[in-house]
Amino acid sequence: MFWKFDLHTSSHLEALLDKEDVTLIELMNEEDVLQECKAQNRRLLQFLCQDQCMLELVRMITTEPPVGVEEIKRFKYPNIACELLTCDVGMINDKLGNEEPLLETLYSLLEQPSPLNPLLASFFSKTIGNLITRKTEQVLSFLRQKEEFLSLVLKHIDTSAMMDVLLRLISCVEPPPLRLDTLTWLNEEKLAQRLIELIHPERDEERQSNASQTLCDIIRLSRDQANQLQEISQPDPLLTVLESQECVEQLLQNMFSGESTESCIINGIQVLLTLLEIRRPLASDSLLTLLTNPCPGFNMCLVCVYGRVDGVMDAQGFERSYTVNSSILLAVQPHLIHFHQLLLEPPKRNPMLTTLGVLEEPLGNTRLHVARLVASLLYTSSASHAVVAQELCRLNTMDLLLDLFFKYTWNNFLHLQVELCVADGSQEQALTETPSEPPVTPENSAHNLMVTHLFQHCHLVQRILEAWEENDKIQSEGGMRRGYMGHLTRIANTVVHNLEKGPVHTQISSLITELPEDYRGRWDTFVDQTLSETNRKNTIDLLFVITHTLKLDDMESPFPKELTLQQAFSDYQIQQMTANFVDQFGFNDEEFTDHDDTVFEACSKERIQPFDDDEEDIWEDKEINFATQTKSRNRSDT
C-alpha cells in the first residue's frame, strides 16, 4: 500500500504553530510557508494577521535591511514578506487595506530620500498595486488624502517601479465610474503636464526615459479603455489633455529648449510617435504581412518585421484603430524645421567600427527617430492636414532623407523608414474635412503635394534608376550587392503600382511624362525588363522556400489559396516537432517503410531498455532477508 512507503510529508509549520513562543522569522524560514498561505491555512493566516506580525512584514519591505551580510541574504526576508502580502488571500488583503497604520507604514517608503532601493521600490509597487486592485476604494481614499502623493511618486520616477504605481491607478480601477473619478483626480493633479516637464534636457536620462515610457503607456491604456468610459458618456480626461495642442507644444518646447540632448529628443519623439499611432503594433501581424509581401531579394533585415504597425486585435478578434487628433499635427508643424535641422546636424557621435570598416559619421539614433517621426506624420496625415505636407515639402525633408538612404548603404533601419515615407507620400489618403478648415480638393490635399514633390524636386525616378545601375556595375565588377536594394525594389514597385492602379495614377503618369526623354526611355525599359525579372525571381525564390519548408510540392499549386498563413505556421510547427522526434530516434520517413519496419524496433531497443521480467515487484509485500538484500546489491553493482 502507498502509506507503507510514507510518501506523505507532514509540514513543520503545524509543529511550529503549536509553540507558544514561535516567531515570524521562524515561520518564514520554512520552505512551504508561502504555499500554505496560498492554501489558506487558517492557523497560519491568523498568526500572520496579528497586528505585530503585519507591521513587521510591512516594515521588511519598506526598510533597508541590515548592512554587513550577503546581498542575497539581506533581501531574503523582504522578498518572502512581499510574497506573503501579495499572495491574494482575503484575510491579508482585508487586514492591510483596512488598517490605516499599516498603510502609513507602507506609504513611508515614498517619503524616503532619493534614490530608493530598486528592490524595495519593486516590493512597494507590487504590494500597493495589489491593494489598488483588491481594496480599491479604501486605498484610493487613503492616497487622495495625501497631498504629496503624486509629487513623491514623480520624485522617485527614476526608479522604474514607480511607473507601475501610476499605471495601476489608471488601468486597474473598477468599475468605470470609479475609474473616471480617479482619472479626474490625476488630471486635476496635472499628472500629464508634470510628466512632460520631466522630459527636459536638464533632467537626468533615467528620469526622462521613465517619464516618456509612462506617458506612452498612459496614452495606449487610455485609448484601449476609451470604450468603457464612453458607456458613461465621458471622455478620458488624461487622454484629452495629452492630445491637446497646448500639451504637445509644451513637449516640443522642452525638447528644443536650450542645448538639446539626444536623450531628450528621442524620448520626446517616442511620445509623439505614440500620439500619432493609428493602430497598435503587433509583431505577429507584421510577420504575417512580411510573409505575404516579402522584401525583394530576401536581403531585408528583421526590422522590416516590426517597422510598420499593421493593426492589433482586441478580445473579439477585431482590429482596433484610433483617430489622431488634428491638434497634434498642428502643434508639430511649426517644429518640423527643428527636426529637419537634426537631420542636417545631429548630435556628435564618435566613429564606429563595423564589419565593413570604420564609419566616420554614424547615422545615430536621433536621425533614425526623426525619420520614424516623418514616416508616422505622412502615414497619419489625412488630406485635411496639408499643412504638415506643405512644410515638409518647403523644407525639402524628403530629399534629405533620400540622400541619407543612399549614403548609409547598410543601415536597413533607416532604409525601412525612408521606404515608408515614399510609400505614404505617394498613396492616397482619406479626404476629410473639419469645420475650421477649407474644403478639401485633390489640388490642395497633402497627398498630391507630396506626390509632386517626390517626382519633381526629389527626382525619385532618376534616383531609382541611377542607384540600380550603380549597383549592377558594382556587382559586375565583383563587388557586394548594395544593402538598400531590397527596399529600393519595394519603392520601385510602389511607384509602378500607383502608376497603374493608384487613385492618382493620372498625376503620376503626367509627372513621369514630364521627365527628360532619356529617363523616360530608361524607366520604361527598367519596368518592363529589369524590375519585372527581379520580381519574378523573388516570387520563385519565395515559393521555393515555402514549398520546401511546408512540403507543398505534391499540391497542384505551390501556394494554394485555401492554405492560410496560420495553417502554414501550424504545418511548419508540426514538421519541426516531427523533425525533433526523428533526431531523437535516428530515422526518417524514407527509412521507415513497410518493407523495413525493423528500423523503429532497433532504435527503440537501443534507446529504451526493456523491462527485466525478473524484476521484483516493488509493491509486493515481502520479507526482507539477507538473500534479497544480496540480490539487490548485485544488481546495482552491474
Side-chain angles (χ1 to χ4, degrees), residues 211-465:
S212 172
Q213 185 60 52
T214 304
L215 286 168
C216 293
D217 290 338
I218 290 175
I219 294 167
R220 293 187 176 114
L221 285 171
S222 298
R223 287 175 173 172
D224 289 343
Q225 297 173 349
N227 291 335
Q228 297 181 19
L229 291 182
Q230 286 177 359
E231 295 175 1
I232 54 178
S233 303
Q234 292 287 341
D236 186 311
L238 280 179
L239 183 61
T240 301
V241 169
L242 283 169
E243 291 182 333
S244 67
Q245 187 170 344
E246 296 77 14
C247 199
V248 179
E249 286 177 349
Q250 183 60 53
L251 172 64
L252 289 161
Q253 289 174 10
N254 289 353
M255 292 167 60
F256 296 107
S257 64
E259 185 176 350
S260 299
T261 62
E262 183 172 67
S263 173
C264 186
I265 295 295
I266 291 174
N267 286 309
I269 290 178
Q270 291 285 4
V271 178
L272 294 175
L273 290 172
T274 307
L275 286 169
L276 293 170
E277 277 182 1
I278 292 179
R279 296 187 178 95
R280 287 287 303 280
L282 186 66
S284 60
D285 282 353
S286 299
L287 183 59
L288 294 177
T289 302
L290 167 64
L291 290 176
T292 55
N293 185 24
C295 184
F298 292 93
N299 71 342
M300 177 191 63
C301 64
L302 286 178
V303 70
C304 291
V305 176
Y306 303 98
R308 168 52 57 91
V309 295
D310 292 311
V312 68
M313 301 297 173
D314 61 14
Q316 290 73 37
F318 296 103
E319 186 175 298
R320 189 180 304 158
S321 60
Y322 309 102
T323 301
V324 174
N325 197 317
S326 60
S327 61
I328 299 171
L329 297 171
L330 293 175
V332 171
Q333 185 267 335
H335 293 272
L336 288 175
I337 187 172
H338 297 127
F339 292 113
H340 182 87
Q341 193 63 28
L342 284 173
L343 293 175
L344 292 171
E345 299 178 6
K348 296 296 182 182
R349 300 181 65 88
N350 296 325
M352 179 185 297
L353 180 62
T354 70
T355 55
L356 295 170
V358 177
L359 189 59
E360 293 295 338
E361 185 186 354
L363 176 75
N365 210 4
T366 298
R367 287 196 283 191
L368 178 60
H369 272 74
V370 172
R372 290 184 61 196
L373 179 62
V374 174
S376 184
L377 286 169
L378 290 172
Y379 184 59
T380 305
S381 300
S382 67
S384 63
H385 302 135
V387 61
V388 172
Q390 286 176 346
E391 184 66 9
L392 289 173
C393 293
R394 186 187 70 82
L395 295 170
N396 210 16
T397 303
M398 278 303 306
D399 193 50
L400 180 53
L401 285 174
L402 285 168
D403 288 340
L404 296 174
F405 179 96
F406 294 110
K407 177 179 179 180
Y408 292 93
T409 308
W410 309 107
N411 195 319
N412 286 147
F413 293 90
L414 172 67
H415 300 156
L416 174 65
Q417 299 306 322
V418 177
E419 177 201 326
L420 296 176
C421 288
V422 173
D424 296 332
S426 58
Q427 292 179 10
E428 183 66 37
Q429 303 281 352
L431 297 179
T432 60
E433 300 181 18
T434 59
S436 59
E437 295 175 343
V440 178
T441 63
E443 289 73 22
N444 69 354
S445 70
H447 168 68
N448 291 86
L449 288 170
M450 186 56 68
V451 169
T452 302
H453 180 75
L454 282 172
F455 285 88
Q456 287 188 344
H457 300 281
C458 299
H459 307 293
L460 181 60
V461 170
Q462 294 93 319
R463 284 176 181 263
I464 293 173
L465 293 173

